[in-house]
Each structure stands twice: as structure tokens, then as C-alpha cells.
Amino acid sequence: MGKIKRALGLMSGTSMDGIDVAAIETDGLTCVQRVGFESYSYGADFREKLLQAVDDAHNLVDRNARPGCLAVVETELTRRHAEIVRAFLLAIGWRVDTTDVVGFHGQTLLHRPEAGLTVQIGDGQALTDATQIPVVYDLRAADVVAGGQGAPLAPVFHRALVSSLKRPSIAVVNIGGVANITWVGSGEELISFDTGPGNALIDDWVSGRTDASCDLEGKLAEAGQVDRKFVDAFLAHPYFSRIPPKSLDRNAWVVDGLQGRSLADGAATLTACTAETIAKAGSLLAKPPETWIVCGGGRKNKTLMAMLASVVDGEIKSAEDVGWNGDSVEAEAWAYLAVRSVEGLPITFPGTTGVSAPEKGGILCRPAVAR
């Protein structure tokens, strides 16, 4: 067993809602002890800036370029992360000099692994200088350079969590902006891939028509009628039957066939698309899952969870049902990955991203002035 390290994970990812921060103590292997978690929301003004940054990044071919508003937004994003680290350390009672590393995801603006391109903004060196804690960032890039999909990255952490459950054939489903699945085999075999849209299409449908940012608890979808023809056409997209590894950009799907539908009917239809694409992913695993553990914001959508339970074989459980915090898993994963990166352990694998061999990743930044 390696030395236990104190690590923070900062996750914003494909979500435009805010920053999740989690603290764990881990050896980067099977020992994981949760310490704390908090979520910090963005205001509407900064969400608008992030959306503009996504637009300005649309035609990027150089992942280091910062056209349009990207440089300004990156600076503000990094500053916000630094403020959150300082506040969170105070809240959990950790000191800077006893915190070993921060795993910094940054904000995904573009993910096109087929073009060898993945772009997350966030200045790792600026963050470490502001916090005086070593920072590991840019965890996806090495995998993409090596021919992998650069996503999902959480599966090796899912494997560590699942190891304590002693259950056969488990699938861990994270429903964020994009949904992904991890299957853990008996010999620590990992299969993982993006299943399709998670909350993104539902959120965009609701936020584009109301002042709300999401379908809270799935109440709109519960009141609506599913357009079966639309769902069937959506499921016919070749992505859903493609053999993994595979991954998606948050904006991979453009919904242009629901015009004229009511708010509730559109929400119900897009919720069904998410549930049924997750279920379809089960047929691409080495063995059908007996238990599906759902993490991420999507598990709070009661209509989505009910739809998922109706279309999968096996038992649906939320993260909380097995003793996890479903909000913190992704941020915890980034803390765990940072420790693995510092220890020189692989973070991606042939069964998770399609990389030809287990691949290390991440860039380690140390404070310019020693602590």
C-alpha cells in the first residue's frame, strides 16, 4: 500500500452550473476515505461567459489558443477556483501545508478526440501559485495524444469504490451533462464509455424556455407525454450501437425535431432519450449488470430514475443507497486521479478510453515559491 495523501478534487467539466470540490485521503489504489464536499454555484452572468467561451472555442484546432473571450474567462475561472479552495480548506479544517495535491479539471469547452483535440480551460500554474498547493491539471490530454478518447476518466476511481461492495456485475452510471457508464469485471477489468446525453439536452430545453436551469426532480417530464417516434429516431443514431471505446462532446446532439411540442412533452421526450440510451449501453458490456448505481445530478431527477428502472434489466440504485455521495463522486475522482498522477500510476486503460496500453496523465505544477 502506498502512502496516504490528502487531496482535493475540483470538478466543473461539462456542467455550466458551478464547481464541485471534494476532499479525500487516499493511496491512489483501494484506500479511499471521504473527508468533505461542497458545491459552489455560478451566477447567471458567469454562466453566460462560459457559454460564450464554448462558442468562441468552436473552431479551435490548437488546444493552447485562446481566441475571443477565452483568455479572460480562463483567468476568471482560475481565480474562482482559487477562492473556493481557500474557503473549502477553512471549512474542513485542513491547512495548506498539510494538503498534498489538488486535482483541477477546468472547464471543458471542446472535446473532439477523433481529431486528437480536447480543450479544458483553467491555468494550473496560476492556481497553484494562488493556493500554494501542488496542482495536477490537464488530465485528459496525454490519453488523446496516445490515441485514446480522453474520456471517461473516473472509471479507475469507480473500481476503487466498487471493490468494497462485494457485489457481482456492477455498472456505475454518472449522469452529468453527458452520461457515462463503468462496468467492473471480477478480475478488475474495466469497460467504460459515454452512453449519450445525460442532463444536457433536458437542461437546454428547459433553460431555453423558462427561467429555470433544469427540470427540477423531473416534474415537467412527469407531466408530459413522450414522443415515441422522436425517441426511436434518436436511438437509431449509429453512435449508440458503436462498439466502445467512445466519448462525446456535451454539444454533440442538436435537437431540432421537437419544435411545437409543449414544455412538458419536450422534457418527457428528452428524458426518455437519456434513459433509453443508458439502457442500450448495457448490451455493449461484457456481462449484463445486475446492479446499476447512479451518480451525478441526474439521479435527483425522479422521472429519469423511474424511466431508467423501467427499461434496464437489473436493480437501479442511487449512489446513496450504497453509502456514496452521488454529488461528490466526480470531484472525488479528480482528487484520486491527481494522487495517481503524482505517484506515476496509470489513469486510463484500453477498456476505458481505447488507448493501446495503460496511460499516465496530468501535468504537475508546484508553487513558484516554496511553501
Side-chain angles (χ1 to χ4, degrees), residues 120-145:
Q120 289 78 38
I121 56 170
D123 187 330
Q125 188 61 54
L127 182 61
T128 197
D129 289 343
T131 62
Q132 291 296 292
I133 303 169
V135 169
V136 173
Y137 78 115
D138 212 13
L139 281 151
R140 300 187 188 277
D143 183 82
V144 172
V145 169

mmCIF file of all heavy atoms in Angstrom, residues 120-145:
data_model
loop_
_atom_site.group_PDB
_atom_site.id
_atom_site.type_symbol
_atom_site.label_atom_id
_atom_site.label_comp_id
_atom_site.label_asym_id
_atom_site.label_seq_id
_atom_site.Cartn_x
_atom_site.Cartn_y
_atom_site.Cartn_z
ATOM 1 N N GLN A 120 -9.775 21.997 -22.237
ATOM 2 C CA GLN A 120 -10.298 22.421 -20.945
ATOM 3 C C GLN A 120 -9.525 23.682 -20.543
ATOM 4 O O GLN A 120 -8.297 23.669 -20.539
ATOM 5 C CB GLN A 120 -10.109 21.350 -19.868
ATOM 6 C CG GLN A 120 -10.986 20.126 -20.029
ATOM 7 C CD GLN A 120 -10.487 19.171 -21.095
ATOM 8 O OE1 GLN A 120 -9.280 18.965 -21.246
ATOM 9 N NE2 GLN A 120 -11.404 18.595 -21.855
ATOM 10 N N ILE A 121 -10.228 24.757 -20.249
ATOM 11 C CA ILE A 121 -9.537 25.961 -19.797
ATOM 12 C C ILE A 121 -9.397 25.940 -18.285
ATOM 13 O O ILE A 121 -10.219 25.366 -17.571
ATOM 14 C CB ILE A 121 -10.239 27.255 -20.266
ATOM 15 C CG1 ILE A 121 -11.704 27.302 -19.813
ATOM 16 C CG2 ILE A 121 -10.101 27.415 -21.768
ATOM 17 C CD1 ILE A 121 -12.358 28.653 -20.055
ATOM 18 N N GLY A 122 -8.345 26.595 -17.802
ATOM 19 C CA GLY A 122 -8.000 26.617 -16.389
ATOM 20 C C GLY A 122 -6.489 26.583 -16.287
ATOM 21 O O GLY A 122 -5.844 25.689 -16.831
ATOM 22 N N ASP A 123 -5.909 27.565 -15.630
ATOM 23 C CA ASP A 123 -4.465 27.734 -15.566
ATOM 24 C C ASP A 123 -3.925 27.051 -14.318
ATOM 25 O O ASP A 123 -4.059 27.556 -13.205
ATOM 26 C CB ASP A 123 -4.141 29.237 -15.545
ATOM 27 C CG ASP A 123 -2.662 29.540 -15.647
ATOM 28 O OD1 ASP A 123 -1.849 28.723 -15.180
ATOM 29 O OD2 ASP A 123 -2.319 30.614 -16.182
ATOM 30 N N GLY A 124 -3.316 25.882 -14.497
ATOM 31 C CA GLY A 124 -2.825 25.104 -13.370
ATOM 32 C C GLY A 124 -1.743 25.813 -12.572
ATOM 33 O O GLY A 124 -1.745 25.774 -11.332
ATOM 34 N N GLN A 125 -0.814 26.474 -13.263
ATOM 35 C CA GLN A 125 0.254 27.160 -12.537
ATOM 36 C C GLN A 125 -0.286 28.348 -11.748
ATOM 37 O O GLN A 125 0.115 28.591 -10.617
ATOM 38 C CB GLN A 125 1.337 27.631 -13.501
ATOM 39 C CG GLN A 125 2.583 28.192 -12.804
ATOM 40 C CD GLN A 125 3.275 27.155 -11.928
ATOM 41 O OE1 GLN A 125 3.609 26.073 -12.383
ATOM 42 N NE2 GLN A 125 3.486 27.483 -10.650
ATOM 43 N N ALA A 126 -1.220 29.081 -12.336
ATOM 44 C CA ALA A 126 -1.815 30.207 -11.618
ATOM 45 C C ALA A 126 -2.571 29.725 -10.384
ATOM 46 O O ALA A 126 -2.552 30.381 -9.327
ATOM 47 C CB ALA A 126 -2.749 30.994 -12.533
ATOM 48 N N LEU A 127 -3.228 28.571 -10.493
ATOM 49 C CA LEU A 127 -3.974 28.037 -9.353
ATOM 50 C C LEU A 127 -3.022 27.610 -8.237
ATOM 51 O O LEU A 127 -3.276 27.894 -7.054
ATOM 52 C CB LEU A 127 -4.852 26.865 -9.780
ATOM 53 C CG LEU A 127 -5.722 26.254 -8.683
ATOM 54 C CD1 LEU A 127 -6.705 27.268 -8.130
ATOM 55 C CD2 LEU A 127 -6.474 25.024 -9.207
ATOM 56 N N THR A 128 -1.949 26.948 -8.590
ATOM 57 C CA THR A 128 -1.008 26.524 -7.539
ATOM 58 C C THR A 128 -0.307 27.717 -6.902
ATOM 59 O O THR A 128 -0.056 27.739 -5.695
ATOM 60 C CB THR A 128 0.010 25.496 -8.074
ATOM 61 O OG1 THR A 128 0.635 24.832 -6.979
ATOM 62 C CG2 THR A 128 1.071 26.110 -8.946
ATOM 63 N N ASP A 129 -0.011 28.754 -7.685
ATOM 64 C CA ASP A 129 0.609 29.950 -7.111
ATOM 65 C C ASP A 129 -0.349 30.672 -6.166
ATOM 66 O O ASP A 129 0.064 31.216 -5.139
ATOM 67 C CB ASP A 129 1.068 30.895 -8.220
ATOM 68 C CG ASP A 129 2.267 30.371 -8.987
ATOM 69 O OD1 ASP A 129 2.948 29.454 -8.472
ATOM 70 O OD2 ASP A 129 2.523 30.858 -10.106
ATOM 71 N N ALA A 130 -1.637 30.656 -6.517
ATOM 72 C CA ALA A 130 -2.633 31.350 -5.689
ATOM 73 C C ALA A 130 -2.948 30.590 -4.408
ATOM 74 O O ALA A 130 -3.281 31.198 -3.386
ATOM 75 C CB ALA A 130 -3.907 31.572 -6.489
ATOM 76 N N THR A 131 -2.868 29.261 -4.455
ATOM 77 C CA THR A 131 -3.237 28.447 -3.298
ATOM 78 C C THR A 131 -2.038 27.937 -2.507
ATOM 79 O O THR A 131 -2.184 27.515 -1.366
ATOM 80 C CB THR A 131 -4.068 27.230 -3.736
ATOM 81 O OG1 THR A 131 -3.274 26.411 -4.615
ATOM 82 C CG2 THR A 131 -5.346 27.667 -4.435
ATOM 83 N N GLN A 132 -0.853 27.941 -3.146
ATOM 84 C CA GLN A 132 0.371 27.394 -2.552
ATOM 85 C C GLN A 132 0.265 25.890 -2.292
ATOM 86 O O GLN A 132 0.902 25.348 -1.377
ATOM 87 C CB GLN A 132 0.736 28.146 -1.267
ATOM 88 C CG GLN A 132 1.182 29.582 -1.515
ATOM 89 C CD GLN A 132 2.477 29.635 -2.335
ATOM 90 O OE1 GLN A 132 3.537 29.257 -1.874
ATOM 91 N NE2 GLN A 132 2.368 30.099 -3.578
ATOM 92 N N ILE A 133 -0.519 25.202 -3.134
ATOM 93 C CA ILE A 133 -0.657 23.747 -3.074
ATOM 94 C C ILE A 133 -0.324 23.196 -4.451
ATOM 95 O O ILE A 133 -0.772 23.749 -5.462
ATOM 96 C CB ILE A 133 -2.096 23.329 -2.690
ATOM 97 C CG1 ILE A 133 -2.505 23.956 -1.358
ATOM 98 C CG2 ILE A 133 -2.217 21.805 -2.611
ATOM 99 C CD1 ILE A 133 -3.993 23.796 -1.055
ATOM 100 N N PRO A 134 0.437 22.102 -4.551
ATOM 101 C CA PRO A 134 0.677 21.490 -5.862
ATOM 102 C C PRO A 134 -0.630 21.144 -6.563
ATOM 103 O O PRO A 134 -1.589 20.690 -5.922
ATOM 104 C CB PRO A 134 1.480 20.231 -5.522
ATOM 105 C CG PRO A 134 2.161 20.559 -4.229
ATOM 106 C CD PRO A 134 1.167 21.404 -3.471
ATOM 107 N N VAL A 135 -0.669 21.364 -7.854
ATOM 108 C CA VAL A 135 -1.875 21.147 -8.659
ATOM 109 C C VAL A 135 -1.546 20.216 -9.819
ATOM 110 O O VAL A 135 -0.537 20.396 -10.511
ATOM 111 C CB VAL A 135 -2.421 22.486 -9.208
ATOM 112 C CG1 VAL A 135 -3.503 22.244 -10.259
ATOM 113 C CG2 VAL A 135 -2.964 23.348 -8.074
ATOM 114 N N VAL A 136 -2.410 19.227 -10.031
ATOM 115 C CA VAL A 136 -2.346 18.395 -11.235
ATOM 116 C C VAL A 136 -3.535 18.776 -12.110
ATOM 117 O O VAL A 136 -4.681 18.776 -11.643
ATOM 118 C CB VAL A 136 -2.396 16.892 -10.902
ATOM 119 C CG1 VAL A 136 -2.501 16.069 -12.183
ATOM 120 C CG2 VAL A 136 -1.151 16.477 -10.119
ATOM 121 N N TYR A 137 -3.255 19.125 -13.364
ATOM 122 C CA TYR A 137 -4.336 19.506 -14.271
ATOM 123 C C TYR A 137 -4.080 18.897 -15.652
ATOM 124 O O TYR A 137 -3.112 18.169 -15.861
ATOM 125 C CB TYR A 137 -4.470 21.032 -14.337
ATOM 126 C CG TYR A 137 -3.452 21.751 -15.200
ATOM 127 C CD1 TYR A 137 -3.844 22.432 -16.352
ATOM 128 C CD2 TYR A 137 -2.093 21.753 -14.878
ATOM 129 C CE1 TYR A 137 -2.914 23.093 -17.147
ATOM 130 C CE2 TYR A 137 -1.168 22.419 -15.651
ATOM 131 C CZ TYR A 137 -1.578 23.083 -16.791
ATOM 132 O OH TYR A 137 -0.665 23.728 -17.576
ATOM 133 N N ASP A 138 -4.981 19.182 -16.580
ATOM 134 C CA ASP A 138 -4.870 18.693 -17.961
ATOM 135 C C ASP A 138 -4.728 17.169 -17.992
ATOM 136 O O ASP A 138 -3.876 16.619 -18.673
ATOM 137 C CB ASP A 138 -3.696 19.361 -18.669
ATOM 138 C CG ASP A 138 -3.955 19.549 -20.164
ATOM 139 O OD1 ASP A 138 -5.119 19.384 -20.594
ATOM 140 O OD2 ASP A 138 -3.003 19.856 -20.903
ATOM 141 N N LEU A 139 -5.619 16.497 -17.295
ATOM 142 C CA LEU A 139 -5.520 15.046 -17.144
ATOM 143 C C LEU A 139 -5.978 14.261 -18.368
ATOM 144 O O LEU A 139 -5.705 13.072 -18.479
ATOM 145 C CB LEU A 139 -6.324 14.611 -15.915
ATOM 146 C CG LEU A 139 -5.614 14.851 -14.577
ATOM 147 C CD1 LEU A 139 -6.615 15.090 -13.462
ATOM 148 C CD2 LEU A 139 -4.725 13.669 -14.229
ATOM 149 N N ARG A 140 -6.667 14.909 -19.308
ATOM 150 C CA ARG A 140 -7.171 14.188 -20.470
ATOM 151 C C ARG A 140 -6.188 14.151 -21.646
ATOM 152 O O ARG A 140 -6.243 13.255 -22.490
ATOM 153 C CB ARG A 140 -8.484 14.821 -20.960
ATOM 154 C CG ARG A 140 -9.604 14.813 -19.935
ATOM 155 C CD ARG A 140 -10.918 15.286 -20.537
ATOM 156 N NE ARG A 140 -11.937 15.457 -19.521
ATOM 157 C CZ ARG A 140 -12.698 14.480 -19.026
ATOM 158 N NH1 ARG A 140 -12.539 13.247 -19.464
ATOM 159 N NH2 ARG A 140 -13.605 14.732 -18.108
ATOM 160 N N ALA A 141 -5.314 15.151 -21.711
ATOM 161 C CA ALA A 141 -4.558 15.396 -22.938
ATOM 162 C C ALA A 141 -3.648 14.240 -23.335
ATOM 163 O O ALA A 141 -3.585 13.867 -24.514
ATOM 164 C CB ALA A 141 -3.747 16.676 -22.795
ATOM 165 N N ALA A 142 -2.905 13.661 -22.387
ATOM 166 C CA ALA A 142 -1.946 12.605 -22.726
ATOM 167 C C ALA A 142 -2.647 11.403 -23.348
ATOM 168 O O ALA A 142 -2.129 10.777 -24.281
ATOM 169 C CB ALA A 142 -1.164 12.182 -21.485
ATOM 170 N N ASP A 143 -3.830 11.079 -22.852
ATOM 171 C CA ASP A 143 -4.584 9.957 -23.393
ATOM 172 C C ASP A 143 -4.984 10.222 -24.837
ATOM 173 O O ASP A 143 -4.879 9.336 -25.699
ATOM 174 C CB ASP A 143 -5.823 9.702 -22.533
ATOM 175 C CG ASP A 143 -6.600 8.495 -23.000
ATOM 176 O OD1 ASP A 143 -6.215 7.371 -22.636
ATOM 177 O OD2 ASP A 143 -7.591 8.679 -23.732
ATOM 178 N N VAL A 144 -5.442 11.436 -25.138
ATOM 179 C CA VAL A 144 -5.839 11.783 -26.505
ATOM 180 C C VAL A 144 -4.629 11.747 -27.433
ATOM 181 O O VAL A 144 -4.706 11.229 -28.559
ATOM 182 C CB VAL A 144 -6.526 13.165 -26.541
ATOM 183 C CG1 VAL A 144 -6.766 13.622 -27.970
ATOM 184 C CG2 VAL A 144 -7.856 13.117 -25.778
ATOM 185 N N VAL A 145 -3.498 12.270 -26.980
ATOM 186 C CA VAL A 145 -2.272 12.230 -27.787
ATOM 187 C C VAL A 145 -1.877 10.787 -28.079
ATOM 188 O O VAL A 145 -1.380 10.475 -29.178
ATOM 189 C CB VAL A 145 -1.129 12.964 -27.053
ATOM 190 C CG1 VAL A 145 0.212 12.705 -27.735
ATOM 191 C CG2 VAL A 145 -1.410 14.459 -27.007
#
